[in-house]
Amino acid sequence: MRNLIIAVLLATGGMTASGAMATQVNITTANPVIDLNISETVQARPDIATFTTGVQNLAPTATEAVRANNIQMATVVARLQKLGIADKDIQTTQISLNQQFDYRDGQQIFKGYQASNMVNGKLRDLKKLGAFLDALAVDGATNFNGPTFGIDDVSMFQAAARDKVWTKAMSRARDLAQKAGYPNARVLRVEESDYGRNYASGPMVMRTMDASEKSTPISPGELSIGANMSFTFEMVK
């Protein structure tokens, strides 16, 4: 006979998940138990690309640097919007103004003021990605990091991975139980842990594009969406 102490989250009315209370439930088993931890993944094509882009400008005065940066960044943001990126998918992440210096023969020489403005963006039509990168370079973006490919709604793929985990766990538990002389196994405990999301990313280099050149080649590939669950089974006759 074995006593299992299982932690259970209970949420009372009006409480959020973060306000849930933990309690323990004692389960007594008359038969041996099997503990399993199973992970499975499914492959999926990404449908979004996230990136960081922006503009840096150097000028003799702070006012000139900021003015030039604002004008150039407005052109970049307008291009993002023209390519179909919604306002909700464009987020400013950094605005900075710093003095810049050169060093010669141990002497600090003032170069000017560098203004920088960076935004995060999310492109939902991957067919436009190559042309989108080329257009950004033409419109004056001086910095680009990404793209990082992802899936906007992974719930369907997580459910598919979870189904694979469950099927494998049940099959393995019954097989182990039968080897031990028990015809079947029943679930006593299931716990799902955060498997995390897998993203595919690759560095991109910004450069000025000639009109005769083809768009930047992009290969989104596939992503692995996973589920991880731990089980306790009781062997039963």
Side-chain angles (χ1 to χ4, degrees):
M1 182 176 294
R2 176 178 171 181
N3 288 326
L4 299 180
I5 302 177
I6 301 175
V8 179
L9 287 178
L10 299 178
T12 61
M15 295 185 67
T16 63
S18 61
M21 299 182 300
T23 188
Q24 290 185 337
V25 177
N26 293 302
I27 297 178
T28 301
T29 64
N31 301 316
V33 299
I34 301 167
D35 292 317
L36 295 177
N37 186 275
I38 306 292
S39 296
E40 282 289 346
T41 61
V42 295
Q43 300 301 116
R45 295 279 293 178
D47 58 13
I48 58 171
T50 57
F51 57 88
T52 300
T53 189
V55 173
Q56 286 184 334
N57 298 87
L58 186 67
T61 68
T63 300
E64 290 176 285
V66 170
R67 182 182 296 117
N69 190 263
N70 290 344
I71 293 172
Q72 200 167 337
M73 192 63 191
T75 302
V76 171
V77 171
R79 170 62 69 174
L80 297 181
Q81 295 169 334
K82 186 176 180 180
L83 289 169
I85 298 181
D87 289 343
K88 68 176 183 178
D89 291 330
I90 303 173
Q91 183 180 53
T92 299
T93 58
Q94 178 187 351
I95 297 176
S96 63
L97 178 67
N98 298 289
Q99 293 181 331
Q100 298 295 307
F101 298 91
D102 274 336
Y103 294 88
R104 299 174 189 166
D105 301 324
Q107 297 288 327
Q108 180 175 273
I109 301 173
F110 177 69
K111 288 175 58 179
Y113 288 87
Q114 180 175 279
S116 175
N117 190 330
M118 303 294 292
V119 297
N120 283 344
K122 182 184 294 184
L123 183 67
R124 298 179 183 274
D125 185 355
L126 297 188
K127 293 179 181 178
K128 294 182 178 179
L129 187 52
F132 161 77
L133 296 174
D134 302 342
L136 278 184
V138 172
D139 282 338
T142 57
N143 296 78
F144 187 91
N145 291 310
T148 299
F149 296 106
I151 296 173
D152 197 32
D153 183 1
V154 299
S155 58
M156 177 179 66
F157 303 104
Q158 287 177 328
R162 197 176 293 119
D163 288 343
K164 290 178 67 176
V165 168
W166 189 272
T167 299
K168 178 184 282 189
M170 293 299 300
S171 175
R172 186 174 297 177
R174 285 169 179 159
D175 181 62
L176 291 171
Q178 288 168 10
K179 292 181 186 305
Y182 292 82
N184 208 343
R186 69 182 182 98
V187 178
L188 293 178
R189 179 189 65 91
V190 182
E191 182 178 339
E192 183 174 21
S193 57
D194 185 10
Y195 190 91
R197 300 185 188 181
N198 291 336
Y199 297 91
S201 62
M204 299 297 299
V205 178
M206 296 298 293
R207 61 188 180 93
T208 301
M209 300 295 294
D210 183 82
S212 63
E213 292 184 286
K214 295 181 178 180
S215 295
T216 303
I218 303 295
S219 300
E222 287 190 333
L223 305 179
S224 295
I225 308 299
N228 179 270
M229 302 169 74
S230 59
F231 301 81
T232 298
F233 291 88
E234 181 184 13
M235 303 184 201
V236 294
K237 292 194 179 282

